[in-house]
């Protein structure tokens, strides 16, 4: 099992992590990233920085708590889902999530722990802990071999 812990002291650190992550995702294969952590942890902030790294105007990236699903046209399609208001994995399926998993896109799911049963066999899990006003701890865990190599790439980039 491959895991990487990244501590950042401010939002600029979160943005740098997002840039490294955007570069490490193995494309053109589709990627799925689950985002877990309390309200205000920085899940949406990380998505915004990742989308920006892929050429999307960051102002387009809103918190999707009321709209369940956003799509951004980056250098690759980005699907951004917030499972906070979903009651079951089934509701995620009803949004058509399996097609997004199969697409050559990057799919990001906030509050993914609420819909764990709907996640694909392989994905990158990102857990965010609030360690201070502006500091955060990101724990990235590979679920599946493809994401092991993403973590290896990130680890090398961090050296
Ligand atoms: N290092 C950091 N990384 C991400 N967000 C941070 C950081 N420091 C402070 N913040 C603030 O924390 C909040 C995170 O909000 P948001 O991304 O909407 O959280 P979530 O989607 O997890 O509920 C924002 O107000 C952001 O400005
Ligand atoms: Mg959010």
């Amino acid at each position: 099992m491959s895991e990487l812990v990244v501590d950042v002291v401010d939002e600029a650190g979160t943005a740098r992590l997002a840039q490294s992550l955007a570069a490490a995702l193995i494309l053109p294969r589709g990627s799925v990233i689950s985002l877990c952590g309390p309200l205000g942890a920085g899940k949406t902030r990380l998505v915004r920085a990742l989308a920006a790294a892929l050429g999307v105007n960051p102002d387009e990236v809103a918190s999707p708590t009321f709209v369940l699903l956003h799509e951004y046209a980056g250098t690759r399609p980005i699907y951004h889902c917030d499972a906070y208001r979903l009651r079951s994995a089934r509701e995620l399926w009803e949004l058509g999530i399996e097609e997004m998993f199969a697409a050559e896109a990057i799919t990001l799911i906030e509050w993914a722990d609420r819909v764990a049963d709907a996640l694909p066999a392989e994905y990158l899990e990102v857990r965010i802990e609030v360690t201070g006003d502006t500091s955060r701890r990101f724990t990235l865990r590979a679920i599946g071999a493809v994401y092991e190599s993403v973590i290896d790439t990130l680890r090398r980039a961090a050296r």
Side-chain angles (χ1 to χ4, degrees):
M1 189 182 74
S2 193
E3 204 173 84
L4 177 67
V5 176
V6 181
D7 284 301
V8 306
V9 299
D10 55 18
E11 284 190 47
T14 298
R16 277 193 297 276
L17 172 63
Q19 277 159 16
S20 309
L21 185 55
L25 290 173
I26 294 160
L27 301 175
R29 212 187 147 278
S31 303
V32 178
I33 301 176
S34 84
L35 297 163
C36 307
L39 201 66
K43 301 181 291 299
T44 303
R45 184 67 189 82
L46 185 72
V47 173
R48 188 174 292 130
L50 191 79
L54 294 165
V56 176
N57 176 353
D59 294 342
E60 264 190 66
V61 180
S63 173
T65 299
F66 297 102
V67 179
L68 293 174
L69 185 71
H70 286 287
E71 182 179 353
Y72 317 116
T75 48
R76 154 146 333 248
I78 300 167
Y79 298 112
H80 178 197
C81 173
D82 192 326
Y84 188 69
R85 276 159 212 284
L86 298 182
R87 274 161 308 187
S88 66
R90 190 199 164 96
E91 289 188 34
L92 192 63
W93 278 317
E94 284 167 2
L95 286 174
I97 199 78
E98 287 194 308
E99 274 167 53
M100 294 166 210
F101 292 158
E104 289 191 349
I106 296 175
T107 304
L108 297 133
I109 304 171
E110 297 191 37
W111 297 102
D113 39 342
R114 298 189 175 215
V115 290
D117 287 347
L119 297 180
E122 298 191 285
Y123 59 95
L124 183 71
E125 179 186 273
V126 178
R127 274 181 287 133
I128 312 176
E129 291 164 73
V130 178
T131 51
D133 276 353
T134 66
S135 59
R136 302 289 187 266
R137 168 164 289 187
F138 293 86
T139 304
L140 289 77
R141 188 158 76 100
I143 314 292
V146 173
Y147 295 96
E148 305 262 352
S149 66
V150 172
I151 295 224
D152 286 344
T153 305
L154 281 172
R155 199 174 271 132
R156 278 196 300 275
R159 271 192 207 127

